[in-house]
Amino acid sequence: MSNETTPIRPDPVFTPDAAFFWEGVTRGELLGQRCSDCMKITHPPRPMCPVCHSIKRETVKLSGRGIVTSWVIPRHPAPIGFAEAPIVALIELEEGIRMVSNVIDVAPDAMKNGIAVEVRYAPTKGGKAVPVFAPAKGGARE
Amino acid sequence: MSKFAAIAGIGQTEFSKASGRSELQLAAEASKAALDDAGIDPADVDGMITFTIDNSDEIGLTRCLGVKDLGYTARIPGGGAASVATIHQAAAAINSGACEVVLVWRAMNERSQYRFGQPMAPPSGGVVNIAGNGTGSLLWCMPFGAQTPASWGALATQHYMNTYGVTNGDLGYVSVAQRKHAATNPLAWFYGKPITLEDHQASKWIIEPVLRLLDCCQESDGGVAIVVTSLERAKDLKRKPIRIVSSAQSIPAEVEVISNYYHADLNVMPEAQGVAKRLYQRSGLTPKDMQLAMIYDAFTPQVLYQLEAFGFCDQGEAKDFIKGGNIEVGGGLPVNTNGGLIGEAYIHGMNNITEAVRQLRGTASNQVAKMTNALVSCGMAGAILSNS
Ligand SMILES: [Zn+2]
């Protein structure tokens, strides 16, 4: 499912405040934005901390582990850039932030809320990547 | 409070799938109809309000209407989810003295010229600056295959449905009630075309397991306009004034338009809760004082969230509240008596405001008995309108 030979998935959109996220993913790292002053992790990224209003921010490597908070399968019209309908999911990461992603390696019939997942990386057609999530193997990893 | 603004006139074009004319022409025709309805000379309009995403511009419209001297303009963010904010803005402008006759409009060839419901491919290459219209959907959803409003909305909704055991079959009660209303409303695209729960369940999945085709609003061409002035001035005009008892907007922390995934509790619609709190506080009214609720229904689940947020039923109980004819004319709380955006047309929520006005005037096709107060909600904004 995730090992397309020639990727057709759309590239992510790089905005000035979120470019670090997609650059990280393309290198195989899941990064979050952390405030350098109060340590608050925010997603989506933004140029100012909503808690202490600092503009000093740093990237932090995220665990890549989370649970599925919600999920859907877009059936019609077919999404652009997918050979088969993906499972689109909202992942709640251990760090307490949510992000939109895909769940892979789970059959649509077996999909349910609350399953534990961990990050993988899926290539996009222009040579970038996005984070996707597969069922967690359990226990410590890499 | 002694000062009130009032809706003095409403107007619209026909609702279709191919208007055959420009969006500016739709805006001008709807505006002229609303001003005629009010009995106001178009030359006397001195305020204009529309959506940030409306393609027509104020100067183009003043040139059509022969407006003498426009003194105030504003646009509201958030698309249809904020449609009632146009009324909130208009009331604020009137009550502040910034202008005297506000023309609100929304006109679009949303079916024939472009289609909101079709997947969008994100732009490629380099760093892009995107304002985003209050949504992160383009940036955070597109590369994962969530490329339509239906998919963005449904992704939050599945959490709510899972929590409260709401099935897609439950949502069918909203579609059936609204299509029943549309079937007897000659203005509606689905006039004469009611559906059954079986039709709903037989319609194809759009976003599994949340939305079938018959859970989704239409794509429409058309224009709607509303004239707002002071209650005092409206009393001397052609129509019985419909008083804007209270109006409100609410965009709570971490809420965004439709790709609304980042606030604390995905089982609620915080923006609708915020609107409800402000509307009830400012008016002293309660849910029991409403004889009608016009609720933004881009997709059926949005109706359930708002019924709960506005206190018509308890949290998680909307799935039962919508059954047994309760939201039909003659039921406990008639909802979207024109057929809503699902049954009448999708003029980005504005046609749900004009239906509230018709109900309060006593001129609706599916007239509710003993109308005094109507709630109009779109999620991020709302108003209580009254004929008393
Ligand atoms: Zn901070």
Side-chain angles (χ1 to χ4, degrees):
Chain A
M1 200 191 294
S2 59
N3 51 358
E4 311 105 298
T5 43
T6 308
I8 57 170
R9 181 191 287 268
D11 290 325
V13 178
F14 283 50
T15 58
D17 294 321
F20 78 89
F21 180 88
W22 301 109
E23 284 161 2
V25 168
T26 300
R27 290 194 307 268
E29 284 185 303
L30 187 65
L31 301 177
Q33 171 185 313
R34 185 169 64 189
C35 173
S36 303
D37 285 325
C38 79
M39 301 293 143
K40 164 90 174 165
I41 296 177
T42 44
H43 187 83
R46 61 204 70 178
M48 180 177 283
C49 173
V51 177
C52 75
H53 307 116
S54 171
I55 54 170
K56 282 186 248 145
R57 54 197 186 274
E58 58 206 34
T59 57
V60 56
K61 195 163 163 29
L62 300 171
S63 68
R65 289 187 297 271
I67 59 159
V68 174
T69 295
S70 72
W71 60 275
V72 294
I73 304 175
R75 293 290 183 193
H76 182 86
I80 296 164
F82 292 83
E84 56 187 86
I87 297 172
V88 180
L90 209 51
I91 308 297
E92 186 133 357
L93 294 175
E94 283 180 353
E95 288 81 2
I97 56 175
R98 289 192 204 116
M99 61 178 64
V100 180
S101 184
N102 293 131
V103 170
I104 60 165
D105 300 341
V106 178
D109 289 351
M111 194 56 208
K112 56 178 195 281
N113 297 62
I115 59 175
V117 290
E118 59 190 17
V119 74
R120 299 280 187 273
Y121 299 95
T124 63
K125 66 177 182 182
K128 310 292 186 198
V130 299
V132 297
F133 288 81
K137 298 278 188 287
R141 42 177 283 288
E142 37 178 289
Chain B
M1 246 209 292
S2 58
K3 270 168 109 181
F4 283 105
I7 294 176
I10 56 174
Q12 67 177 77
T13 65
E14 81 288 359
F15 302 141
S16 75
K17 302 293 179 190
S19 75
R21 51 210 197 275
S22 71
E23 294 184 316
L24 179 59
Q25 182 168 341
L26 295 175
E29 289 180 22
S31 298
K32 176 65 164 54
L35 290 157
D36 285 351
D37 184 54
I40 291 177
D41 185 339
D44 294 338
V45 169
D46 64 353
M48 281 189 175
I49 294 169
T50 188
F51 293 34
T52 51
I53 57 173
D54 194 279
N55 293 325
S56 297
D57 76 84
E58 292 78 359
I59 290 172
L61 191 53
T62 59
R63 283 180 175 153
C64 293
L65 295 172
V67 171
K68 267 187 325 223
D69 186 3
L70 190 61
Y72 178 88
T73 65
R75 288 189 176 227
I76 58 110
S83 47
V84 189
T86 56
I87 300 303
H88 186 45
Q89 276 282 343
I94 296 294
N95 289 334
S96 74
C99 53
E100 290 179 18
V101 177
V102 176
L103 174 66
V104 173
W105 92 86
R106 176 78 178 116
M108 54 188 187
N109 284 326
E110 191 250 318
R111 180 61 176 77
S112 64
Q113 203 172 314
Y114 40 84
R115 298 187 60 182
F116 276 8
Q118 289 296 304
M120 287 181 270
S124 232
V127 173
V128 184
N129 274 290
I130 294 172
N133 288 317
T135 172
S137 57
L138 195 63
L139 181 55
W140 300 105
C141 300
M142 294 292 190
F144 303 102
Q147 299 166 348
T148 61
S151 62
W152 304 326
L155 184 55
T157 300
Q158 193 272 339
H159 182 84
Y160 165 89
M161 291 171 73
N162 184 62
T163 300
Y164 297 114
V166 183
T167 66
N168 174 264
D170 293 327
L171 301 179
Y173 287 85
V174 173
S175 307
V176 169
Q178 295 194 190
R179 288 290 294 270
K180 183 178 177 182
H181 293 153
T184 49
N185 168 17
L187 298 174
W189 178 255
F190 287 117
Y191 177 55
K193 292 179 179 161
I195 58 164
T196 63
L197 289 170
E198 291 70 31
D199 295 332
H200 175 268
Q201 284 302 289
S203 69
K204 68 184 167 197
W205 281 118
I206 301 299
I207 307 295
E208 193 179 348
V210 178
L211 302 173
R212 292 180 185 274
L213 178 65
L214 292 176
D215 291 300
C216 303
C217 68
Q218 310 173 52
E219 295 169 306
S220 303
D221 285 10
V224 166
I226 298 170
V227 177
V228 178
T229 184
S230 65
L231 180 62
E232 206 175 307
R233 179 165 178 161
K235 280 177 179 162
D236 298 329
L237 293 169
K238 224 164 99 184
R239 293 287 200 162
K240 180 183 175 63
I242 301 304
R243 188 162 57 100
I244 301 169
V245 178
S246 63
S247 60
Q249 208 167 345
S250 176
I251 307 176
E254 301 295 337
V255 158
E256 65 178 58
V257 181
I258 200 160
S259 48
N260 196 5
Y261 314 131
Y262 308 105
H263 61 86
D265 183 1
L266 295 180
N267 292 314
V268 301
M269 193 186 270
E271 60 274 36
Q273 292 179 325
V275 170
K277 189 176 165 196
R278 285 178 175 152
L279 286 183
Y280 293 143
Q281 260 175 9
R282 288 169 188 174
S283 65
L285 297 173
T286 71
K288 289 196 185 331
D289 296 313
M290 305 301 138
Q291 291 83 42
L292 168 73
M294 296 301 300
I295 297 177
Y296 194 76
D297 57 314
F299 306 104
T300 50
Q302 268 63 33
V303 175
L304 276 68
Y305 286 116
Q306 291 174 74
L307 286 170
E308 292 171 5
F310 281 92
F312 293 114
C313 59
D314 286 338
Q315 183 65 33
E317 292 184 356
K319 73 175 192 299
D320 302 315
F321 186 86
I322 57 176
K323 292 175 183 168
N326 197 40
I327 58 172
E328 294 173 13
V329 174
L333 179 75
V335 172
N336 296 348
T337 47
N338 57 347
L341 311 178
I342 287 171
E344 186 178 60
Y346 183 64
I347 312 300
H348 243 154
M350 300 306 286
N351 52 314
N352 281 356
I353 307 175
T354 49
E355 170 67 4
V357 172
R358 285 191 297 263
Q359 287 284 0
L360 290 162
R361 286 175 174 178
T363 61
S365 295
N366 301 309
Q367 186 61 48
V368 173
K370 295 182 186 154
M371 281 296 306
T372 306
N373 300 310
L375 171 77
V376 188
S377 166
C378 54
M380 284 188 161
I384 294 172
L385 307 178
S386 178
N387 57 13
S388 73

